[in-house]
Amino acid sequence: ALDLFDTVEMLEVVLEENIVSRNIPRSFQNVIISFACVSFILSLLQLMQVKTHDGEWIYVNCVFLGLRLALLIEYGKDASIFIAKTVS
C-alpha cells in the first residue's frame, strides 16, 4: 500500500512542475512517469496476488531513490518521507 502512495507522490512532482517550474527537463519527467507506471503495474499484480520477484521491487525502489536524490540535489525539490521507505 505504501508503494501506491509513494508512486502518487512521484507523479505529483511532474504535476507540480506545470504549476511551479523548477526547470526539471521533460526527459526526466518522462522517466518519473515511466517508473511510476511500472510501480502501478507491480502493485496491481501484488493486489491480484500474482507472484512477483522481490528483485523487481528492489529495482523500482532503487530507481525511485535515485530519482529522489536527483530531484533534491539538482532541482532543490524536497525529499519526501517516503525516501525512508525506499531505502528500507
Side-chain angles (χ1 to χ4, degrees), residues 12-74:
E12 181 182 358
V13 170
V14 176
L15 295 173
E16 277 182 359
E17 183 65 18
N18 294 328
I19 299 168
V20 179
S21 180
R22 296 181 192 269
N23 296 324
I24 298 173
R26 191 71 175 146
S27 58
F28 193 82
Q29 293 178 37
N30 289 339
V31 170
I32 292 173
I33 292 168
S34 299
F35 278 97
C37 289
V38 169
S39 180
F40 279 135
I41 291 169
L42 288 175
S43 295
L44 179 64
L45 291 174
Q46 191 176 30
L47 290 173
M48 292 172 36
Q49 298 181 350
V50 174
K51 282 283 189 188
T52 58
H53 300 287
D54 287 336
E56 293 169 344
W57 278 114
I58 291 171
Y59 178 69
V60 171
N61 284 332
C62 287
V63 171
F64 274 174
L65 177 62
L67 292 172
R68 285 187 196 290
L69 289 174
L71 286 169
L72 176 66
I73 294 167
E74 294 293 322

